Amino acid sequence: MKRIMLTLLSVLVLGLSMLTTAAAQSKGVVYYLVPTLLDEFQTGSVSALEMFLKQTGYEMKTLNADNKTDAQQSQMNDVIALKPAAIILAAVDFNALKPSIDAARAAGIPVVEFDRQITSTKSDFTSVAGTIEIGHVAADQAQAMLKAKHSDVKGKILQVLGDPGDPYTLDIQKGFEEKMKAFPEVTIISVPAMQWEASNAGTIVSDQMLANPDIDLIFLHAAHLSVAAVASLEAAGKKPGDVMMMSSNGAPVGLDLIRKGWLNTEVEQPLYAQAAAVAMFMDKIAGKQEIKAGDYDVLGLKGVVTIEAWGPNIKIPGAAITKENVDDPAFWGNMKSPTVAIKSVE
Amino acid sequence: MTPRTRKTLEFVLDNLVWFMLIVVLALFSALIPNYFQIGIFTNIIEASSVLGVMSIGLALVIIAGHMDLSVESVAALSAMAVGILFCSAGIGLGITLSPEWLMIPASLLVACAIGALIGLFNGFLVVKLKMSAFIITLASFIWVRGLVLAVSGGRSAQDLAPAIRWFAIERFLGIPLSAWIAIACFLIFSVMMSKTPFGRHLVMIGGNETAAYRAGIRVTRNLIIAFVMAGAIAGLAGWLLAVRTSGATANLGIGLLFNAFAAVVIGGVSLKGGVGALPGVYAGVLLLSSINTAINLMGLPANYTQVIHGFLVLAAVLLDTFKQRLRQRLA
């Protein structure tokens, strides 16, 4: 009995020492406060950040706020008490999280804004694709498609937004509409799909296609909404190519729809690059070192760091995915993790 | 008041929600461009299929004097299970059966069985262990949605097997088969509630559980069956949801619970139990669907649609309260 107890104790000690060694090898724990795990971009962001941070020596833990601002505020308070190397925040609500960001920084914990830019207070680093820019890219694509159809930029666009309470979709709308303003002959009908729920988008598309049968282009603010929209079109007897379609975020389902001919364009959010940029700068962020403005190569894309009033900000442009380039493994929707190892910025 | 006037008034009150539906449809048709067309009315019927089926299960439990807040999440889990098993893209496993039509009963069985199991779990805790239906089913609402997220990993399933999708594409009298399923459900369950001892017992239990028990009605058994049925029907609603959207996403069906409650209340079911009939619930579902369609067509600024939706539902419920008061005066 004594021998068994001794053996168990030594195994326990050995295990603990191995754990301590592993912890010693890590540069620290970084907490990622993800707004929701109900869409593919967010779940993709967890695995991408975890993978890239591991490559640069950090351990990452994730907390899901389930799209609830108060839950995310509580998570911030809890994480501040744990004193991690840094907090990565994709805010549910931009303004409501400002006091929590200030509290974390006052406690000496660097805060990184991921995907959702907060400009009302200072943070240590921001990595965004630029939702307004996604709207601009979408507008360029829409112009090209309408011109190809009518030999002029004119016609009717149905814009299916996500939830009107989410600044992500409102910014895309803003970017899209501000660039489309130059074309007065284009009518844009905007309807929100409440809670980003796919069947809501399906209903909107079937209703609008009856009320406005002359719709030339449907622009949906997320790929998963396109799936339901396509289901509605299919039920109405439409075939791929009958109505031009475009969506944004570059999720796998969107890429599949391009391959099947339903979607003309998907405006990608460069998920891998956005996550890689955070990992590249994490040593500087955690070490509270200066981050210099300039161009940086992030997984082959040109990321531009600017020093803004709210801190260093890297913006990586989203690309338009079409039938020609849909199989490019660089797009996160193809679910092929980049093989290039991330190196910390010197 | 003459007996004839009283009879007419009572008929109007009994079917007020149907009259409200006609008035609303007439108003929207007159005021909203392009609303008045067969296609839009078909859309209203089609869009109400999922909510309608879900409302049946919810109404059964409420009429029996309890509550089931889990129906929305149960529908989402059933849709995700069907999506994972029978979709060929995304996280779908693309399971095929030969002959292909076998996928229809198989997917239906999966969806309804999942719902029935969760319903049994809820019913056991509520009826046997005498725990609060509100708390138990609220817990189920949360953990079942969590399970959707866990099994899907937040990803979606796409491209449902054509044999199952057939129900969303094929039409009979211009209405998709999926909507006919909802109509058939309303007919079957309406007959069950009004013509069978089980249905009448549920109403009696909801009215006064103790009196029903003393009258020799098997209260425990009937209530557990009601919870199992509500779960299975929610599973069917999930199956319809998957059929309608050709797959499943982790947030599929979010918000349906509150609409189902609104439809049930507008349809004349008392939240206190013991009062209500399913045809009224169907009219409530159609009314909500008509309002949603109007909002979709009006092109309102995105930020205001929820406010308008809320006020329109409130107006419908206020009218229903007015109806109850008028009925009391008549009695």
Side-chain angles (χ1 to χ4, degrees):
Chain A
M1 188 65 188
K2 200 177 172 185
R3 189 175 288 175
I4 294 170
M5 289 297 284
L6 272 173
T7 316
L8 278 173
L9 194 68
S10 39
V11 168
L12 194 68
V13 170
L14 189 69
L16 275 173
S17 65
M18 281 171 75
L19 273 176
T20 323
T21 319
Q25 280 170 350
S26 167
K27 291 178 185 171
V29 177
V30 173
Y31 272 87
Y32 174 35
L33 273 57
V34 67
T36 173
L37 286 175
L38 288 177
D39 78 68
E40 290 177 301
F41 180 87
Q42 305 298 348
T43 46
S45 74
V46 173
S47 40
L49 278 165
E50 197 170 1
M51 176 179 71
F52 293 131
L53 282 169
K54 198 175 175 188
Q55 288 174 9
T56 50
Y58 293 89
E59 187 191 340
M60 193 184 92
K61 290 182 179 173
T62 306
L63 297 177
N64 170 20
D66 253 338
N67 259 337
K68 294 182 188 89
T69 303
D70 58 328
Q72 200 167 50
Q73 282 169 331
S74 307
Q75 287 172 350
M76 276 292 270
N77 293 339
D78 293 342
V79 170
I80 290 167
L82 296 171
K83 299 204 179 305
I87 297 171
I88 303 170
L89 172 70
V92 175
D93 184 298
F94 297 8
N95 294 320
L97 266 297
K98 179 181 174 288
S100 306
I101 296 165
D102 295 340
R105 297 189 76 236
I109 304 162
V111 179
V112 175
E113 310 302 341
F114 182 74
D115 187 41
R116 300 171 177 208
Q117 199 173 48
I118 297 179
T119 57
S120 56
T121 191
K122 218 169 163 84
S123 51
D124 298 88
F125 190 70
T126 301
S127 176
V128 286
T131 35
I132 290 180
E133 285 77 3
I134 286 176
H136 289 166
V137 176
D140 291 339
Q141 295 294 312
Q143 287 163 30
M145 279 188 253
L146 292 176
K147 195 164 186 180
K149 187 176 178 187
H150 298 296
S151 338
D152 197 2
V153 186
K154 63 178 182 183
K156 204 175 261 184
I157 300 174
L158 168 63
Q159 183 180 212
V160 182
L161 313 172
D163 195 88
D166 189 344
Y168 173 83
T169 192
L170 298 177
D171 276 358
I172 292 179
Q173 181 189 17
K174 192 178 166 191
F176 182 68
E177 288 177 5
E178 86 187 1
K179 216 162 180 192
M180 292 307 291
K181 253 186 199 157
F183 305 96
E185 284 186 271
V186 175
T187 310
I188 302 173
I189 304 162
S190 302
V191 190
M194 292 299 181
Q195 315 229 41
W196 289 100
E197 205 269 348
S199 70
N200 288 339
T203 307
I204 290 165
V205 168
S206 54
D207 286 344
Q208 286 292 340
M209 289 307 292
L210 279 168
N212 297 289
D214 53 342
I215 285 171
D216 297 292
L217 168 69
I218 304 174
F219 171 33
L220 303 109
H221 283 202
H224 75 274
L225 301 182
S226 300
V227 178
V230 164
S232 286
L233 291 175
E234 208 180 6
K238 303 274 183 199
K239 297 270 176 292
D242 283 355
V243 183
M244 295 188 290
M245 278 180 78
M246 170 170 77
S247 60
S248 62
N249 87 354
V253 285
L255 272 52
D256 282 345
L257 288 176
I258 291 178
R259 290 186 189 103
K260 288 179 181 125
W262 282 103
L263 265 184
N264 297 66
T265 302
E266 178 77 38
V267 185
E268 200 218 20
Q269 251 191 289
L271 165 64
Y272 288 136
Q274 270 178 258
V278 172
M280 280 167 62
F281 285 95
M282 190 47 79
D283 279 352
K284 285 195 176 290
I285 297 162
K288 291 171 186 155
Q289 294 166 14
E290 189 198 357
I291 292 172
K292 287 183 181 145
D295 294 350
Y296 292 86
D297 183 288
V298 190
L299 295 176
L301 294 171
K302 187 182 150 192
V304 183
V305 173
T306 52
I307 307 301
E308 306 287 347
W310 60 88
N313 186 99
I314 191 163
K315 198 174 263 187
I316 302 157
I321 308 170
T322 60
K323 206 155 197 164
E324 282 69 45
N325 61 356
V326 67
D327 294 321
D328 187 336
F331 298 132
W332 73 270
N334 282 316
M335 303 298 276
K336 287 171 187 156
S337 303
T339 45
V340 188
I342 295 300
K343 282 185 186 156
S344 297
V345 171
E346 293 297 323
Chain B
M1 191 183 290
T2 64
R4 197 172 174 180
T5 318
R6 178 186 286 268
K7 210 174 171 184
T8 314
L9 208 59
E10 273 180 353
F11 174 79
V12 172
L13 285 179
D14 282 342
N15 299 287
L16 187 67
V17 63
W18 288 101
F19 288 104
M20 279 160 60
L21 177 66
I22 292 165
V23 171
V24 162
L25 285 175
L27 269 175
F28 288 157
S29 298
L31 300 173
I32 301 168
N34 301 316
Y35 195 94
F36 186 71
Q37 52 174 307
I38 295 290
I40 286 292
F41 297 138
T42 311
N43 269 5
I44 291 170
I45 295 170
E46 192 208 346
S48 62
S49 54
V50 175
L51 181 65
V53 170
M54 188 182 284
S55 303
I56 294 173
L58 186 62
L60 288 186
V61 180
I62 292 177
I63 289 172
H66 287 274
M67 201 158 275
D68 190 349
L69 303 177
S70 68
V71 286
E72 174 194 303
S73 301
V74 170
L77 183 63
S78 300
M80 187 51 82
V82 170
I84 290 175
L85 293 174
F86 299 104
C87 280
S88 54
I91 52 169
L93 298 172
I95 292 174
T96 48
L97 299 174
S98 183
E100 277 189 13
W101 63 264
L102 271 177
M103 283 190 271
I104 299 165
S107 59
L108 265 170
L109 193 69
V110 167
C112 294
I114 287 171
L117 269 177
I118 297 167
L120 181 65
F121 175 76
N122 289 337
F124 178 77
L125 293 179
V126 172
V127 184
K128 282 274 188 192
L129 302 187
K130 306 280 178 209
M131 296 168 90
S132 155
F134 183 85
I135 302 298
I136 293 302
T137 57
L138 177 67
S140 296
F141 171 78
I142 299 165
W143 73 258
V144 175
R145 178 62 74 174
L147 205 56
V148 176
L149 187 59
V151 296
S152 66
R155 293 196 58 210
S156 27
Q158 189 203 343
D159 265 1
L160 192 61
I164 308 173
R165 264 288 281 163
W166 181 77
F167 284 91
I169 294 167
E170 287 303 316
R171 284 163 189 261
F172 175 65
L173 298 177
I175 297 170
L177 295 182
S178 53
W180 282 112
I181 291 176
I183 294 167
C185 282
F186 268 104
L187 286 173
I188 292 166
F189 283 96
S190 295
V191 170
M192 185 198 82
M193 287 303 285
S194 59
K195 302 284 179 201
T196 68
F198 173 72
R200 288 196 295 268
H201 289 171
L202 275 191
V203 179
M204 287 164 76
I205 293 167
N208 188 333
E209 202 174 308
T210 315
Y213 177 75
R214 287 192 179 150
I217 293 169
R218 296 167 77 178
V219 173
T220 308
R221 192 195 71 159
N222 284 346
L223 281 178
I224 290 183
I225 292 175
F227 272 102
V228 172
M229 280 177 122
I233 297 166
L236 175 62
W239 183 84
L240 286 171
L241 204 51
V243 167
R244 194 159 177 256
T245 55
S246 187
T249 56
N251 71 344
L252 198 64
I254 273 188
L256 270 177
L257 176 67
F258 297 105
N259 282 331
F261 260 101
V264 166
V265 172
I266 293 167
V269 174
S270 166
L271 288 176
K272 289 175 188 164
V275 177
L278 292 179
V281 174
Y282 190 49
V285 171
L286 290 175
L287 187 66
L288 283 179
S289 187
S290 315
I291 294 169
N292 282 339
T293 306
I295 288 172
N296 286 346
L297 295 186
M298 279 191 282
L300 298 162
N303 317 42
Y304 293 99
T305 50
Q306 245 173 324
V307 179
I308 292 158
H309 194 176
F311 275 112
L312 286 172
V313 171
L314 188 67
V317 177
L318 283 175
L319 211 62
D320 187 64
T321 313
F322 172 70
K323 173 188 92 174
Q324 304 294 350
R325 289 213 179 139
L326 213 64
R327 193 188 291 278
Q328 277 170 0
R329 278 190 190 177
L330 276 177

